[in-house]
Amino acid sequence: MSGHGVASFAADAAVGRRPEWGRGLAGVAGAAGLGCIVWAFADGLRARLGLFAMGTAVYRDAQWASTAAIASFVAAGTALAVWLLARFLRAALGVPVRPLTRRRARFAKLRAAAAVPMLLILAVWSLDEILVRGVRGAPFVALGLGAVTSLLLAYDVPRLARNGLAALRERTPLLGIPFHELDALPAAGLVRTRGVVAAGDDTLWTAQGACVWLRRTADPTPLGRESESLEARPFRLEHRGARVFVDLDPARALVVTPAALDPVAAEVGLPVGAPVEVIGAVIAGEAGAYRGAPPRLGPTPGPRGRLFVFAGPRGAMNRRLVLAAAVDLLAAAGLLGSVLFLAVAWSYLGFLARR
């Protein structure tokens, strides 16, 4: 994913989207059912390991193949269950998903469709060693099926890790930033404050009325997010008679509004009059200007500095970012863990078979 794509994910993670409870919960239930089946197979794996020293060489080879099929089924089934769980948890919790091109969407469906018949073959082979007697190279075929299935699903691991880390990077600047009322801002430093948006010297006019930030999407579909354009104007933030100026640079601002819960809306704005929470840095002006003029808020320091403007329940942006990071990082860990389990299991089974 490009840097733009990672940044878009983090912005979408902060915004969230409307939960799809029906689809999400049905998918989670399906993933849980598959997980129960995998657990039952894993429970029988230990008993099979005690049978390796028994019988003739033909029996031991067949037992090796059948047990390898169990291990491969456990690894591949776990990978599929994690993949499904992450996919449908995003829908249930309103966590963003990456917009896919048609080619990538077809590839994702193909991976899931290819995993099912391979899992069925592994499940049949794992029932009893007699089913794989006479199958040339059966242990290696079982390993291959498990590895292909796991790797097809683990294809998403790099993207999931990048997305999760991107969400955490957006959350990190928010940790430990103290809250100050608008009339009690310090002369410098990072602050969190809140107030009501008031028009500055210029505003943007939309169907919603006067706005200070606007996102337009030429093609209002998930595939059209790359064609979006952002506009912003500096504005005043007011609360109980106090006011500050907010330097809103669209390139360095993360703006979240309830209307943006629809990620494919053609036009989303931050209207004048909206109550918001702002996280940024107090900008030092000319000598002595701070006392005689309202303070200004801008992005946090550094090349990656951002100005956070959030219209919605207090703290919801933090929760969404952490939730998005948790779902994707746990999915990446689960998919990678299934591949590592298969490698370790195969090494151990090979050791037992050749003792």
Side-chain angles (χ1 to χ4, degrees), residues 205-211 213-214 257 259 267-271:
W205 288 94
T206 70
Q208 308 171 48
C211 292
W213 176 88
L214 184 63
T257 73
E267 189 174 85
V268 174
L270 177 63

Side-chain angles (χ1 to χ4, degrees), residues 106-160:
R106 285 196 297 267
F107 182 51
K109 293 177 181 178
L110 178 63
R111 285 186 290 147
V116 173
M118 288 190 281
L119 279 174
L120 291 176
I121 293 173
L122 291 172
V124 171
W125 278 20
S126 64
L127 294 176
D128 195 275
E129 52 82 23
I130 198 170
L131 297 174
V132 291
R133 287 189 187 183
V135 178
R136 178 171 296 182
F140 301 98
V141 175
L143 171 68
L145 290 174
V148 169
T149 305
S150 298
L151 290 173
L152 278 174
L153 299 171
Y155 172 85
D156 284 330
V157 167
R159 174 182 60 83
L160 293 170

Side-chain angles (χ1 to χ4, degrees), residues 207-223:
Q208 308 171 48
C211 292
V212 297
W213 176 88
L214 184 63
R215 186 191 77 199
R216 286 192 176 98
T217 305
D219 177 15
T221 67
L223 297 180

